[in-house]
């Protein structure tokens, strides 16, 4: 893992001191996730469409696959903008690094999930409606809904958001 310097250049994403960013090994498949909070400390999640190849109909955080030649933070910024229209401003904390195999039978994936801050109108995410069917801001009393349509024991998104809003 590497530790960014926390500096902030023109248009650069600020990374808080002490935040370690994993360095993928060659040949590993990585994904990134962003837990975004609003002013009420509720976490944003979007519901994957029923026809998605991976985890159809489940709630998910903003994020996706790291493309060839991208760093994890570059992928995180790209995914936030593509999936919501917001711009990644600050990485506050690395929440976890996990490994998982999707319900598509694909290869092992590594995932780095971060607590972040974004710029933009949080009341109006520009969702990719061809991929998602809904969005919601989840507070402590609602996080149980993040288990909807999940296989038993597969509560990664619920557990991730619960550690931030519970």
């Amino acid at each position: 893992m590497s530790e960014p310097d926390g500096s902030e250049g023109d248009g650069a994403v600020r990374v808080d001191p002490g935040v370690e960013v994993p360095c993928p090994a060659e040949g590993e498949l990585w994904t990134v996730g962003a837990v975004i909070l609003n002013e009420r400390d509720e976490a944003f999640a979007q519901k994957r469409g029923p026809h998605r190849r991976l985890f159809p109909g489940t709630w998910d955080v903003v994020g996706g696959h790291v493309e060839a030649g991208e760093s994890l933070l570059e992928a995180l910024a790209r995914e936030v903008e593509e999936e919501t229209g917001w711009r990644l401003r600050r990485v506050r904390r690395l929440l976890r690094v996990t490994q998982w195999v999707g319900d598509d039978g694909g290869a092992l994936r590594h995932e780095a999930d971060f607590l972040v801050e974004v710029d933009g109108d949080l009341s109006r995410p520009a969702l990719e409606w061809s991929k998602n069917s809904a969005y919601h801001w989840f507070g402590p009393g609602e996080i149980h809904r993040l288990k909807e349509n999940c296989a038993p024991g597969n509560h990664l998104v619920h557990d991730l958001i619960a550690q931030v809003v519970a």
Side-chain angles (χ1 to χ4, degrees):
M1 291 198 198
S2 67
E3 191 170 319
D5 63 6
S7 62
E8 187 172 4
D10 184 27
V13 173
R14 184 174 138 217
V15 179
D16 285 6
V19 174
E20 292 189 11
V21 179
C23 292
E26 191 167 328
E28 290 180 336
L29 294 176
W30 277 79
T31 61
V32 291
V35 175
I36 300 166
L37 300 178
N38 63 16
E39 67 280 353
R40 294 179 305 281
D41 287 332
E42 298 165 323
F44 180 83
Q46 52 196 357
K47 192 168 220 179
R48 298 172 65 85
H51 304 294
R52 296 289 297 272
R53 183 173 55 94
L54 278 171
F55 310 113
T58 62
W59 289 100
D60 201 0
V61 295
V62 172
H65 288 89
V66 178
E67 295 177 359
E70 270 185 324
S71 72
L72 296 187
L73 294 182
E74 289 168 338
L76 189 66
R78 177 183 52 77
E79 290 289 352
V80 166
E81 190 157 1
E82 286 177 1
E83 293 187 11
T84 65
W86 303 326
R87 294 187 63 86
L88 181 63
R89 173 175 22 107
R90 177 181 172 205
V91 177
R92 293 174 49 188
R93 193 168 79 203
L94 173 64
L95 295 170
R96 70 176 182 199
V97 175
T98 57
Q99 296 180 358
W100 56 274
V101 175
D103 54 5
D104 63 348
L108 176 71
R109 295 162 175 96
H110 304 265
E111 181 166 335
D113 295 303
F114 299 89
L115 178 61
V116 305
E117 293 178 4
V118 298
D119 288 324
D121 183 352
L122 297 185
S123 68
R124 299 185 61 170
L127 251 58
E128 295 177 289
W129 290 109
S130 63
K131 296 180 179 180
N132 299 295
S133 61
Y135 73 90
H136 189 75
W137 291 95
F138 289 89
E142 297 177 298
I143 59 174
H144 65 278
R145 290 182 46 210
L146 293 166
K147 295 179 181 179
E148 292 173 0
N149 300 323
C150 291
N154 185 8
H155 300 138
L156 291 173
V157 172
H158 169 273
D159 296 347
L160 176 64
I161 289 178
Q163 71 174 299
V164 177
V165 300

